[in-house]
Amino acid sequence: MSVSSPAPAPSAAGPAAPTQAELLDFARRTAADAELIASLPLDPEGRTWVRLEGPGGSEAWLIGWPPGTGTGWHDHAESVGAFVTAAGELKEHALAARLPTDGWKTLELSDGVDRERRLPAGLGRSFGRHHVHEVLNESPDRHAVSVHAYYPPLPRIRRYSRAGQTLRLEQVERPEDWQ
């Protein structure tokens, strides 16, 4: 005779939030779905996107990048995230610095905070809250496609301009601005 323990009671708080590693795993698996990647309509001039069902209530996107396009400097506020290149190659410039979250317009960046990554198809990365970066498709003639996931769903995106070591907050966007 065996005795088993009762199943744990469901949490009143609901399922656990997806981790950065889980978001990256989702983005990798999705980026490997050749049929899904091929289904994304590509525009020769502007980025295209399709919303996906992300894990654990996350916000996920399939994004097409025409040659020579990019995001500009931005962050994802309080969300953690991950993205993987599914086709083509993307380049990420990022800041290895924690910025103040609110109450500033202009910052002088320290030397040595710049990071650069090339992300060909199959490669990606995860990132924590307040990660400041820009993502680019530098190809002169080839689209790139990527998969992105964020948790919690994006509450806002802060957009920046950069001149040398000076970073300037230019705009704060909220989800209603993207509709």
Side-chain angles (χ1 to χ4, degrees):
M1 176 175 171
S2 66
V3 178
S4 62
S5 302
S11 167
T19 65
Q20 289 178 46
E22 290 167 333
L23 294 173
L24 183 58
D25 183 57
F26 164 82
R28 280 190 181 122
R29 286 190 329 270
T30 304
D33 183 340
E35 188 175 327
L36 176 66
I37 302 311
S39 75
L40 179 67
L42 300 176
D43 183 306
E45 296 180 19
R47 287 191 301 151
T48 55
W49 53 87
V50 172
R51 182 129 188 202
L52 304 172
E53 187 72 30
S58 64
E59 180 173 345
W61 297 92
L62 179 62
I63 301 176
W65 306 75
T69 60
T71 60
W73 287 95
H74 68 283
D75 72 14
H76 305 99
E78 294 80 25
S79 297
V80 298
F83 69 99
V84 171
T85 304
E89 180 177 277
L90 294 174
K91 184 177 186 180
E92 180 195 39
H93 295 159
L95 299 179
R98 175 93 180 181
L99 303 182
T101 56
D102 289 306
W104 64 276
K105 281 291 209 181
T106 304
L107 287 176
E108 286 299 316
L109 301 171
S110 302
D111 288 336
V113 298
D114 289 294
R115 301 293 181 266
E116 180 179 300
R117 275 189 181 89
R118 290 204 171 275
L119 300 164
L123 292 184
R125 64 150 323 171
S126 64
F127 51 85
R129 290 169 168 76
H130 310 291
H131 174 70
V132 178
H133 69 164
E134 70 173 344
V135 180
L136 309 159
N137 176 7
E138 293 185 324
S139 171
D141 56 8
R142 186 170 177 210
H143 269 79
V145 177
S146 57
V147 177
H148 302 247
Y150 309 99
Y151 189 87
L154 297 172
R156 61 186 171 158
I157 292 178
R158 291 179 288 225
R159 299 214 175 262
Y160 306 97
S161 61
R162 181 159 181 201
Q165 294 301 102
T166 303
L167 188 71
R168 180 174 186 79
L169 176 64
E170 296 291 346
Q171 178 178 352
V172 177
E173 297 175 0
R174 301 197 185 289
E176 55 271 19
D177 299 328
W178 311 321
Q179 303 306 323

